[in-house]
Amino acid sequence: MDTFTLIIEDLELEAVIGILDFERVRSQRLIVQGAITYCYEGKNFIDYISVKEKIKSLLQTKQYGLLEEALEDITQTLKQKFDTIISICMTIKKPQISDDCSIGVRIDKTF
């Protein structure tokens, strides 16, 4: 059985996320980066479009308070959907939350 890593780079979307008052009433731009390591054998692959759509759907519908909560939920949901996942490294950035930098949070999860 071989090990592969699915890469997601610069996935951009709009979502309501955050704990500041203004973050709760309007969506903001997010950028998601990810590396999902999984075991591959034969037809046991991970559908990358399904992964991308699941990430977008969760972020756009759940309206998380914290980036940490979002990352925990996304990683658990992906593992439940694709049991061959070994580890997930994922970052969510808020590029417009600060005038002088892009701020984000990363999770490194091994199952």
Side-chain angles (χ1 to χ4, degrees):
M1 187 174 326
D2 292 318
T3 302
F4 288 85
T5 301
L6 170 66
I7 304 297
I8 297 171
E9 293 183 353
D10 303 324
L11 172 60
E12 291 191 37
L13 62 132
E14 296 276 330
V16 172
I17 188 168
I19 58 173
L20 301 174
D21 289 341
F22 72 89
E23 291 180 299
R24 302 310 306 158
V25 295
R26 68 174 186 259
S27 62
Q28 62 183 299
R29 189 167 143 246
L30 302 176
I31 300 174
V32 179
Q33 311 279 355
I36 301 169
T37 303
Y38 61 99
C39 293
Y40 169 77
E41 186 173 11
K43 295 184 181 203
N44 201 13
F45 67 95
I46 293 182
D47 178 354
Y48 51 83
I49 297 298
S50 178
V51 169
K52 174 192 72 100
E53 291 302 322
K54 179 52 77 177
I55 293 168
K56 284 179 69 173
S57 173
L58 288 168
L59 286 168
Q60 291 175 330
T61 60
K62 294 249 183 147
Q63 298 189 0
Y64 301 100
L66 298 172
L67 293 174
E68 291 87 348
E69 294 168 347
L71 288 165
E72 285 178 337
D73 190 44
I74 291 166
T75 56
Q76 283 304 118
T77 300
L78 290 176
K79 176 60 176 172
Q80 289 171 358
K81 185 168 176 68
F82 302 102
D83 64 348
T84 60
I85 290 176
I86 299 168
S87 66
I88 298 175
C89 175
M90 187 171 292
T91 302
I92 301 174
K93 293 180 184 178
K94 295 179 175 183
Q96 298 168 320
I97 198 70
S98 178
D99 291 338
D100 59 354
C101 67
S102 179
I103 296 174
V105 174
R106 183 177 81 193
I107 189 170
D108 292 294
K109 181 93 171 170
T110 302
F111 299 97

